[in-house]
Amino acid sequence: MCYLIAKKFNNKGSIAFKTEHGVKLGTLSKYLTLSTLENEVQIVTINNPDDYLEYSPYKFIDNEVQFISEVFEMKN
């Protein structure tokens, strides 16, 4: 189990999506990184949110489509 995190640089907090390691995660992470690179959105994968307080507070998202949608909203 791991978490895909999206954080807008210089903003407090981030959004998190609980997922599994694997090809699907790698593809999604790469897609979101390339799609938001010029908009100061950081995409990272972490194992335990409690170990990465620099991304807190977290808003946990349960749905992959909703997570993607909220990442794209960060681009604005």
Side-chain angles (χ1 to χ4, degrees):
M1 200 59 62
C2 62
Y3 294 84
L4 189 58
I5 305 295
K7 178 180 180 14
K8 181 85 171 184
F9 290 120
N10 300 319
N11 285 6
K12 186 173 177 147
S14 62
I15 59 173
F17 174 64
K18 190 174 186 178
T19 187
E20 298 281 339
H21 289 283
V23 174
K24 184 177 177 181
L25 170 62
T27 302
L28 178 58
S29 178
K30 184 175 181 178
Y31 169 71
L32 292 174
T33 297
L34 293 173
S35 298
T36 60
L37 192 60
E38 296 177 357
N39 303 101
E40 300 181 346
V41 176
Q42 180 183 26
I43 306 294
V44 296
T45 304
I46 62 173
N47 289 323
N48 184 354
D50 294 332
D51 292 339
Y52 295 89
L53 297 179
E54 62 268 28
Y55 299 111
S56 67
Y58 295 98
K59 177 183 176 187
F60 292 96
I61 310 272
D62 294 330
N63 179 293
E64 184 176 337
V65 173
Q66 182 183 354
F67 179 79
I68 294 167
S69 176
E70 292 201 26
V71 169
F72 280 103
E73 286 179 21
M74 289 179 153
K75 289 173 56 172
N76 300 326

